[in-house]
Amino acid sequence: LNYAFGHVNDRFDGVKIDNESRLSELSKLKEQSPSLKVLISIGGWGSGRFSEMAAKETTRNQFAADCKRVADQFNLDGIDIDWEYPGSSAAGISSSADDWENYTLLMQAIRKAIGPDKLLTLASQAGARFIDFAAIEPVIDFVNIMTYDMGRPPAHHAPLYQSYLTRGLSVDEAVAAHVKAGIPLNKLTMGMPFYGHGKEYLPDFIDYKDIMNLSGYEWKWDDQAQAPYATNGKGILVCTYDDPRSIALKCNYIIEKGMLGAMYWEYDGDDASGTLRKAVFEGLNK
């Protein structure tokens, strides 16, 4: 379980946590299920102050030490860094040309601070940009590829393969990009969206549980992309999402490629029956 989110604090030297009591509740679940791993994800879209923190050895080390403090205080199994993205201000955050190198130094500092037994993971952009993956590979446990948001209607946002309805990367291409960048397959997890994107009368972000309650649309399947979609009365793709069928195919891909596993964003997007998370579990544990 990745708890979202923690942030770099206003002094650039530590971790600020959203709703600490909720994190404590999640950590206590390990009393019922000792094999459960709970991590805190630090960052997220629009979460800044990474560039300033990582720019100086002093604040990097102070932040890393506070990561250990958080892990110890909340009985966590590791730290997940979700800086979106080093060297980019697209999310309205500060950035620097030095972020590329400083990101590597930051991950090395966190590993040194938390020790070898805690997990150190990260979320990465689908195209494997912004990070020196070969440099951080020795100190990280795995990479969660954000293989979603790669397109918007009238195109797919998380297609397994390219098709006439894709405008950006496919999942397959994103995985290949990370391998080429220096991360082995057994350290890669594939991101799966529990939400979709809509246009016209549909919201840009729409949870799977809400997509399943829509009416007045035609439900279709793209054999090339191996992805579902919905069209309006003119046959135009107006909603892109994942369903149990596309998830099962992605799980087959993970197994066949020898990837570490899957992750999804986010738990609350699923329906009350857990349709999608059950599809992930069953697909990976045949």
Side-chain angles (χ1 to χ4, degrees):
L1 267 175
N2 280 30
Y3 179 75
F5 282 106
H7 308 277
V8 179
N9 67 16
D10 295 337
R11 300 184 306 275
F12 315 121
D13 63 359
V15 181
K16 179 176 65 175
I17 302 170
D18 293 335
N19 196 350
E20 291 191 2
S21 62
R22 181 61 170 161
L23 178 57
S24 295
E25 289 180 44
L26 290 177
S27 181
K28 288 177 182 177
L29 292 175
K30 297 198 293 178
E31 296 173 6
Q32 303 172 40
S33 300
S35 63
L36 177 65
K37 305 294 184 185
V38 179
L39 296 81
I40 184 168
S41 291
I42 301 173
W45 186 255
S47 181
R49 298 182 288 275
F50 280 100
S51 185
E52 295 91 337
M53 174 271 292
K56 298 178 181 178
E57 182 179 6
T58 301
T59 50
R60 277 198 309 269
N61 289 338
Q62 289 171 330
F63 177 82
D66 207 38
C67 285
K68 183 180 189 309
R69 189 268 307 172
V70 169
D72 291 343
Q73 178 180 338
F74 293 92
N75 190 27
L76 303 179
D77 298 284
I79 302 293
D80 177 67
I81 297 298
D82 191 2
W83 179 353
E84 300 182 27
Y85 298 102
S88 171
S89 294
I93 64 175
S94 299
S95 65
S96 162
D98 296 325
D99 287 349
W100 174 270
E101 180 180 355
N102 291 339
Y103 185 96
T104 299
L105 296 172
L106 172 63
M107 297 303 271
Q108 291 169 343
I110 296 173
R111 170 54 74 198
K112 183 178 180 180
I114 65 175
D117 298 328
K118 296 288 187 183
L119 293 170
L120 179 57
T121 68
L122 62 139
S124 77
Q125 182 264 355
R129 298 167 56 202
F130 307 111
I131 295 169
D132 187 346
F133 286 98
I136 67 167
E137 190 276 330
V139 300
I140 63 161
D141 290 285
F142 57 88
V143 176
N144 295 308
I145 311 175
M146 293 187 283
T147 32
Y148 35 72
D149 299 340
M150 297 184 289
R152 289 290 198 278
H156 296 297
H157 88 110
L160 186 54
Y161 298 108
Q162 283 286 338
S163 82
Y164 70 103
L165 288 173
T166 57
R167 299 291 184 273
L169 289 175
S170 67
V171 173
D172 179 56
E173 290 168 320
V175 171
H178 281 77
V179 172
K180 184 178 180 181
I183 304 296
L185 284 162
N186 64 2
K187 280 191 174 184
L188 291 176
T189 70
M190 180 195 297
M192 300 182 186
F194 280 16
Y195 66 95
H197 291 291
K199 65 177 295 188
E200 295 182 353
Y201 302 107
L202 297 174
D204 181 19
F205 286 85
I206 177 170
D207 286 341
Y208 174 79
K209 60 189 175 189
D210 298 320
I211 292 171
M212 291 300 98
N213 290 323
L214 294 175
S215 60
Y217 296 93
E218 187 171 352
W219 306 97
K220 295 188 176 182
W221 178 261
D222 182 340
D223 278 325
Q224 288 180 296
Q226 297 192 357
Y229 62 103
T231 60
N232 61 14
K234 298 179 181 179
I236 298 172
L237 190 160
V238 293
C239 188
T240 167
Y241 62 100
D242 261 352
D243 67 1
R245 181 181 179 184
S246 62
I247 284 175
L249 290 165
K250 288 179 176 180
C251 288
N252 287 340
Y253 179 100
I254 289 167
I255 293 168
E256 291 170 2
K257 288 283 187 178
M259 296 177 67
L260 180 63
M263 69 93 172
Y264 44 80
W265 174 267
E266 62 178 309
Y267 190 94
D268 189 50
D270 204 357
D271 61 27
S273 299
T275 299
L276 296 188
R277 59 183 181 267
K278 288 176 182 175
V280 176
F281 177 81
E282 292 166 3
L284 293 178
N285 295 279
K286 297 180 180 178

